Amino acid sequence: MPILADLSTISGIPLHPLIVHIPVVLVPLAFIGAIAALVVPRWRSWCLPLTAVFATVSLIGVQLAIQSGEGLEEILDEESAAIERHSQLAEQARPMVLLFVVFAIAAAVIWWMVSRDTGEEAAGRTATLRKLIVPICALSVLTGALATVWIYRTGHTGAESVWKDAGSEGGDSGEKGEPTKSGADEQPSTEAGDGDSDGD
């Protein structure tokens, strides 16, 4: 079931180029937050919740980008190897971002539980949770790195498909103009040749 019924255009403008900026910006930011939370423990109180929020919003952005891309492809009614590769990478990026979200949220929840547990009764559970913080943060960094790489690759192939198509269209128009110019250059020489033959 699509999140929104129509994600193709808004006021005639394609939404896809706008929506893709959500994961393109937020996934790397969440990845940086995950690294900061792992390396600097005293920052975890604000880094982990922020990382979880950024990662979650970026996952929503990935889904919206995929849907809007499919809508844009239907509008353009054209397929190419570059566009197909772009779509495949987007599908691969989605589960990677999802894993990143899972570990980012898990790290934030564990830290929240540790910070609120007080008293002797919770001491044992708190000690266990504290041992989990570093491994979960490390997994968050690992999945964040994979998600960032795949988001970059997806965006790169998307940009390539646009610019290569634009370049090929420019090349075609240039080739069409060349015969006319060469024909015009050849015409005077032919007429000059005819004049010489007449003079002989």
Side-chain angles (χ1 to χ4, degrees), residues 4-188:
L4 294 176
D6 185 10
L7 281 173
S8 303
T9 61
I10 180 169
S11 300
I13 301 172
L15 277 177
H16 185 67
L18 303 176
I19 293 176
V20 295
H21 286 85
I22 298 173
V24 164
V25 172
L26 292 185
V27 169
L29 284 178
F31 174 48
I32 292 170
I35 294 173
L38 177 63
V39 175
V40 188
R42 69 176 182 275
W43 289 356
R44 288 173 186 166
S45 59
W46 61 270
C47 262
L48 290 176
L50 201 59
T51 298
V53 170
F54 281 175
T56 302
V57 175
S58 68
L59 178 61
I60 296 171
V62 168
Q63 181 60 36
L64 293 176
I66 289 173
Q67 289 180 218
S68 63
E70 291 171 352
L72 181 60
E73 194 172 351
E74 289 177 3
I75 292 173
L76 296 176
D77 194 23
E78 63 180 31
E79 292 183 3
S80 67
I83 293 176
E84 182 63 26
R85 179 62 176 159
H86 177 62
S87 300
Q88 289 175 356
L89 287 171
E91 293 290 346
Q92 294 170 10
R94 179 165 47 186
M96 294 184 186
V97 176
L98 175 60
L99 282 175
F100 183 27
V101 170
V102 168
F103 286 114
I105 292 176
V109 169
I110 290 172
W111 183 256
W112 176 76
M113 292 175 69
V114 168
S115 62
R116 70 186 293 271
D117 281 346
T118 56
E120 295 180 359
E121 295 181 359
R125 184 176 67 176
T126 301
T128 303
L129 291 174
R130 285 186 182 279
K131 291 178 182 178
L132 288 175
I133 280 290
V134 173
I136 295 297
C137 284
L139 287 171
S140 177
V141 170
L142 177 61
T143 53
L146 289 173
T148 300
V149 168
W150 249 258
I151 289 294
Y152 168 78
R153 293 180 65 195
T154 304
H156 182 68
T157 55
E160 269 193 335
S161 67
V162 171
W163 287 109
K164 282 186 177 179
D165 289 346
S168 63
E169 288 175 4
D172 292 342
S173 62
E175 288 173 2
K176 288 177 182 178
E178 284 177 2
T180 305
K181 183 178 179 182
S182 62
D185 291 342
E186 289 173 1
Q187 187 65 30

